Amino acid sequence: MKKVIVILLVLFIFGCSRQAELPHDKGGRPLLLGGLRFITAVSVSPDGKSIATGSVDRRVRIWDAKSGGVVRVLKGHTDDLTGIAWFPGGKKIISGSMDSTLRIWDTGSGRCIGVLTGHRDEVLAVGVSPDGNFIASGSLDGSIRIWDGHTGKCLRELPGSGGPIEAISFAGDGKYVYSADLDGNIYSWKTGDKDLVLRVRGSTAHYNSVSIDAGNSRAVFGAKNGEIIMIDLNTGRVIHKEKIVPSPVTALAFMPGGEAAAGFKNGMIVLINPDGTIRNKIQAHSRAVTALSSFSDGRLVSGSTDRKARLWNSQGKLVKELRSDRSDIYCLLFHNGKLLGGRGDGVILDCSEPENKKSFRITGKEPVNEMCAAGNNIVAALSSGSVILFSGENSKPENIIKFNLDADCVAYSPDVNVLVAGSEGGEVFLYKPAGKEKIEFDAHPNTVTRVRFSPDGRLLCTSSCDNTVRVWDLKDLKLIRILKGHDDEVWDIRFIGNEKVVSASSDRTVRVWDLRTGLTLNILKGHEDSVSCIALSPDKKYMATASWDGMVGIWDTGKWLLVKRLKAGEELLYVIFMPDGRLAACGVNDSVFIWNEREWSKKD
């Protein structure tokens, strides 16, 4: 075995994450910061003609870099995408996922041609050697695996430091593979064996992002406090250290010529010269930058929790925006006799007649995440984080008022005196429009996906991407219960009376909870993909669930039995009952489905 070089780095930083993707919680699990389609990984093809993106919706999308159009949608992973890399020639890509697998895809046909299994936990980083002969992957289980790039066979498992492996990179000739973990430990092995060649040892502090440029023997780390540190891998010397932006670093990538790009939680991208000095600052997105990848000519592509991927030229000017959610309908609201839908392009539709939708734009082009009503007024939470209040009479936006509540979801109290909004950062805002009083408190360590009031207005229930449901006493904002049991993100919640709550999750189940004890009363199984939304019939005797599997489930709330399955055929994002008993669901590709009471209530 060759001599191991040990270099001690005294780097006082905190927080941590993998290259150009997602920040993590304290346990190393990637934190989710936004809606159903936010971008988690990006990678540019070797010829620069295509861009691959990965998302929380478990899909890989191949985009034409010139037109900005989607060429392929690759389906197969059963959990969020975490990393993507191209093979030389651009005919294949490898994707890593929180489902603990890697998949090899034929980019021409969109067909999955290989599933690589072996990691004992989520795959966090992937890489392909320059000749395509090897694949490297890093996992939350702390291991690095080397795979045959042609057969997909695992050739060897390399031990890390025990912490999650955040970044993987092959040296220019492919003979060496580098990895970096949560604590700033960097390792290098010969690709063909288990000989450890280099170790750069970090401190006990944590980082927020990391990227490796093995070809130029450099690494860059980003911290939660906005600090960037660039390191020479050969000597361990700190090339540059500077607090650039007062916001957590959430993505990093090296660019041609030795430059680096850093993305921040506040949506900013900073271009950094090889000597560590700042070349340009760009306010690139309205929300956290979660992924970065560069072209050989210096162009850059970024992904964000605002559900957009954007293409920038070498000077930092926006060239093109890549979005697949413009026609997705995210939410529904029945208001003044009309069925309204909030779409991904910032348009609100009159969906009363699904085949003849009428539309109006309320403000900007940001996706409408959720809507609620208060008399003739409508409140909408936008993907930009803002909340707008406008008059909804005659389905025309009037008297628009904008609140800076950083909201992903909204709800009005039963007496319509309190507006509550949940945010990407886990905060909840209580706002009393009459007195213009705003109260903010930390509800979850991750994105708040829904906020709901109990019928008597005494309790507030919140759900989150931290897999929990939390119940609060509105009088003093005291936390009463934390409901734990779901294995994945909780997307929706509903009160049944004042003592029960139902919750829908990415773990494909719905749980019924007793608020007096905090115990699960029932676990409802019947969907084959994430359950995105819940609705209760006007008489509360039935519950409808919408799912990414394209089905609506109808459940008897007395016996908690699945009594009907309605096929929509499109991934569904929202479902509601209308006062006249009709049922409506919406989802991707501008889809709205309406069933009359006889259709949905007739048992299978």
Side-chain angles (χ1 to χ4, degrees):
M1 179 182 290
K2 290 190 176 183
K3 183 179 179 180
V4 178
I5 303 172
V6 180
I7 304 170
L8 300 178
L9 300 178
V10 184
L11 304 174
F12 298 99
I13 308 175
F14 56 96
C16 191
S17 173
R18 65 183 170 284
Q19 174 190 352
E21 292 158 19
L22 302 174
H24 290 70
D25 61 21
K26 293 180 180 179
R29 180 181 173 84
L31 288 176
L32 303 180
L33 301 174
L36 299 179
R37 279 199 176 179
F38 80 81
I39 308 297
T40 57
V42 295
S43 185
V44 177
S45 64
D47 62 6
K49 294 181 179 180
S50 301
I51 299 168
T53 62
S55 172
V56 172
D57 69 1
R58 307 169 184 178
R59 312 293 193 250
V60 176
R61 288 176 173 82
I62 309 295
W63 307 76
D64 184 293
K66 185 176 181 180
S67 68
V70 176
V71 178
R72 294 271 185 273
V73 179
L74 314 181
K75 302 178 182 181
H77 281 294
T78 59
D79 212 330
D80 310 342
L81 270 294
T82 55
I84 298 173
W86 289 82
F87 282 76
K91 294 183 179 181
K92 295 189 298 182
I93 60 173
I94 181 81
S95 58
S97 167
M98 289 170 65
D99 65 13
S100 304
T101 72
L102 298 98
R103 286 178 176 259
I104 303 175
W105 307 86
D106 182 309
T107 57
S109 65
R111 187 169 59 91
C112 178
I113 57 176
V115 181
L116 283 55
T117 61
H119 281 296
R120 295 172 291 279
D121 214 324
E122 299 154 7
V123 176
L124 302 182
V126 296
V128 177
S129 63
D131 57 11
N133 290 331
F134 299 101
I135 300 164
S137 58
S139 170
L140 188 63
D141 64 21
S143 70
I144 301 100
R145 285 178 176 256
I146 305 297
W147 314 78
D148 187 301
H150 304 286
T151 66
K153 179 182 177 181
C154 183
L155 301 176
R156 61 193 60 84
E157 181 176 351
L158 306 174
S161 65
I165 303 301
E166 299 298 294
I168 288 284
S169 180
F170 284 92
D173 56 6
K175 292 181 180 180
Y176 298 93
V177 62
Y178 285 79
S179 69
D181 66 17
L182 281 165
D183 298 319
N185 295 305
I186 300 173
Y187 297 87
S188 175
W189 288 269
K190 289 185 67 175
T191 304
D193 57 41
K194 294 185 178 181
D195 283 356
L196 180 61
V197 178
L198 170 71
R199 180 180 180 185
V200 179
R201 181 181 293 167
S203 70
T204 56
H206 292 294
Y207 303 96
N208 203 57
S209 297
V210 58
S211 182
I212 301 170
D213 180 8
N216 291 307
S217 297
R218 295 186 307 156
V220 61
F221 292 88
K224 189 176 180 180
N225 65 356
E227 192 171 53
I228 296 289
I229 291 185
M230 197 171 292
I231 299 165
D232 185 313
L233 289 179
N234 293 324
T235 65
R237 183 177 62 88
V238 175
I239 300 171
H240 190 79
K241 177 179 178 180
E242 182 180 356
K243 186 175 180 180
I244 297 178
V245 175
S247 178
V249 183
T250 51
L252 287 165
F254 277 100
M255 303 170 69
E259 292 182 319
F264 295 82
K265 188 178 179 181
N266 64 4
M268 185 171 286
I269 292 175
V270 176
L271 303 181
I272 306 167
N273 291 317
D275 62 1
T277 57
I278 297 172
R279 181 165 67 85
N280 199 0
K281 290 184 178 181
I282 312 162
Q283 189 56 55
H285 292 272
S286 61
R287 292 198 167 190
V289 178
T290 50
L292 292 167
S293 184
S294 64
F295 291 75
S296 59
D297 60 5
R299 288 178 297 161
L300 184 72
V301 62
S302 60
S304 169
T305 61
D306 64 11
R307 303 175 188 151
K308 302 170 185 174
R310 284 179 165 168
L311 178 61
W312 310 87
N313 67 17
S314 58
Q315 302 305 311
K317 183 179 179 180
L318 180 63
V319 176
K320 197 173 296 294
E321 184 173 280
L322 313 179
R323 285 183 58 185
S324 62
D325 70 341
R326 284 190 175 92
S327 64
D328 294 353
I329 300 178
Y330 282 98
C331 58
L332 294 170
L333 174 69
F334 191 81
H335 186 256
N336 286 343
K338 296 182 183 295
L339 179 64
L340 303 180
R343 202 165 62 183
D345 59 358
V347 164
I348 290 182
L349 302 165
D350 181 350
C351 303
S352 303
E353 299 177 20
E355 302 302 320
N356 186 30
K357 302 184 188 75
K358 300 175 182 179
S359 66
F360 59 88
R361 186 175 300 282
I362 44 177
T363 179
K365 297 181 180 180
E366 295 296 329
V368 182
N369 289 334
E370 190 169 30
M371 298 183 289
C372 63
N376 286 325
N377 292 327
I378 295 173
V379 172
L382 305 183
S383 183
S384 61
S386 61
V387 173
I388 59 169
L389 171 69
F390 61 95
S391 172
E393 283 192 274
N394 302 317
S395 299
K396 293 181 179 180
E398 299 172 355
N399 305 320
I400 295 176
I401 303 173
K402 186 174 181 179
F403 307 109
N404 294 316
L405 295 184
D406 189 25
D408 278 281
C409 50
V410 289
Y412 258 118
S413 60
D415 61 8
V416 200
N417 286 329
V418 179
L419 174 67
V420 65
S423 80
E424 175 187 74
E427 301 88 4
V428 166
F429 302 91
L430 294 176
Y431 186 76
K432 297 181 180 179
K436 295 185 178 181
E437 179 186 356
K438 188 172 87 170
I439 301 172
E440 175 184 346
F441 66 96
D442 293 328
H444 292 266
N446 208 329
T447 300
V448 178
T449 55
R450 284 285 190 269
V451 287
R452 305 288 188 199
F453 288 95
S454 59
D456 62 8
R458 185 176 64 86
L459 301 177
L460 175 68
C461 200
T462 59
S463 60
S464 171
C465 289
D466 67 6
N467 306 351
T468 72
V469 176
R470 301 190 180 202
V471 187
W472 310 81
D473 187 322
L474 274 175
K475 187 177 181 180
D476 54 11
L477 297 181
K478 181 181 178 181
L479 178 62
I480 299 174
R481 299 278 184 201
I482 299 180
L483 308 180
K484 296 181 180 180
H486 284 296
D487 296 325
D488 218 329
E489 306 99 336
V490 182
W491 292 119
D492 200 7
I493 42 177
R494 293 282 180 181
F495 276 92
I496 298 181
N498 295 307
E499 296 181 346
K500 292 181 183 178
V501 163
V502 288
S503 56
S505 171
S506 283
D507 66 12
R508 308 180 185 185
T509 71
V510 174
R511 284 180 176 251
V512 186
W513 306 87
D514 186 330
L515 295 185
R516 294 169 298 182
T517 64
L519 299 177
T520 299
L521 298 176
N522 297 90
I523 302 176
L524 311 182
K525 300 178 180 180
H527 286 289
E528 297 177 359
D529 211 328
S530 297
V531 185
S532 54
C533 189
I534 302 169
L536 294 172
S537 62
D539 60 9
K540 306 298 188 291
K541 292 182 179 180
Y542 293 95
M543 177 180 71
T545 53
S547 170
W548 295 6
D549 65 9
M551 304 294 291
V552 174
I554 305 296
W555 307 79
D556 183 322
T557 59
K559 300 178 180 179
W560 293 114
L561 295 176
L562 181 63
V563 295
K564 184 80 174 182
R565 288 171 60 87
L566 303 170
K567 184 177 181 180
E570 297 281 3
E571 297 170 21
L572 298 177
L573 306 178
Y574 212 88
V575 62
I576 65 168
F577 282 96
M578 291 180 270
D580 61 6
R582 288 181 298 161
L583 177 70
C586 65
V588 302
N589 301 324
D590 211 25
S591 58
V592 175
F593 306 89
I594 297 177
W595 296 271
N596 61 40
E597 187 171 3
R598 184 176 180 181
E599 290 173 322
W600 67 257
S601 63
K602 186 178 179 180
K603 297 181 180 180
D604 288 334

